Amino acid sequence: FNQTKPFRRHMTMSPREGNDIEITAQEAKQIKKALEDDSFRKLMTEYVNEISDPKFREEQEAYIRQLEANEEVPDGKSVIRPCKGFVIKCGHIKKRDGENPTTKLFINIVYSEKVSEPESVPETTGIREIRQWSVPFFLGPLRMEHDKAQSLV
């Protein structure tokens, strides 16, 4: 959290979504402090367990289906039900004393017919031809879940 500019950059959503989220150095410090507090981590774990419960997801899905059936999905929004793709597991090894040695991050790659396919355009530079790629994507919100060892990641 001591590098606020890179952290802020990763916490800012696309401006076209109209949901800009920026975090100040003070807020980053408060988050770091909260994550070091056992009682906060316990509450966060309980919250993650609650929202990870299949019953919660069923209720959420029922609500979304109701919005679709009643044609009440907000203007400019659409429901995308992605198909499973694959998962990328990343790890960051910390070198500071007293910190968890490895932080895990799982990136779920999914696809949908509602998202355009990647396109490439040939481009000639000097004597070779290269391809310029455009890969459309949507980025969902970060969420905490339990890994196989029941650790919160």
Side-chain angles (χ1 to χ4, degrees):
F1 290 107
N2 59 357
Q3 297 176 344
T4 57
K5 286 184 181 177
F7 186 72
R8 182 178 297 131
R9 182 178 67 238
H10 294 295
M11 293 299 290
T12 303
M13 299 174 78
S14 170
R16 70 177 179 196
E17 293 178 31
N19 295 323
D20 289 352
I21 297 173
E22 290 201 16
I23 187 166
T24 65
Q26 179 63 29
E27 291 166 332
K29 188 176 179 180
Q30 289 172 329
I31 291 170
K32 182 179 180 192
K33 183 178 178 182
L35 291 172
E36 291 170 349
D37 179 3
D38 288 338
S39 61
F40 175 82
R41 282 199 316 271
K42 181 181 176 191
L43 287 172
M44 180 61 84
T45 300
E46 290 172 6
Y47 170 72
V48 170
N49 287 337
E50 181 180 319
I51 66 171
S52 299
D53 185 331
K55 180 182 175 188
F56 175 81
R57 290 189 184 202
E58 288 169 15
E59 289 173 5
Q60 188 178 40
E61 278 296 314
Y63 174 69
I64 292 170
R65 283 192 301 274
Q66 180 183 355
L67 287 177
E68 288 178 299
N70 296 338
E71 297 181 2
E72 295 176 344
V73 175
D75 290 339
K77 304 286 182 178
S78 64
V79 177
I80 296 177
R81 299 196 192 290
C83 300
K84 291 180 181 179
F86 56 93
V87 176
I88 300 171
K89 180 180 178 181
C90 305
H92 173 69
I93 299 172
K94 297 179 183 178
K95 296 181 180 177
R96 295 187 194 108
D97 292 335
E99 290 188 12
N100 184 6
T102 304
T103 301
K104 290 188 271 187
L105 172 70
F106 294 91
I107 302 171
N108 294 307
I109 307 296
V110 297
Y111 61 94
S112 170
E113 61 187 33
K114 292 184 179 182
V115 178
S116 302
E117 292 188 14
E119 297 177 350
S120 70
V121 177
E123 191 175 290
T124 305
T125 59
I127 58 174
R128 320 186 322 178
E129 183 179 288
I130 61 171
R131 300 197 77 73
Q132 176 98 19
W133 282 89
S134 171
V135 181
F137 67 94
F138 287 90
L139 183 62
L142 292 173
R143 68 175 190 236
M144 303 292 284
E145 290 195 13
H146 290 100
D147 63 6
K148 288 180 184 176
Q150 295 303 307
S151 297
L152 193 59
V153 295

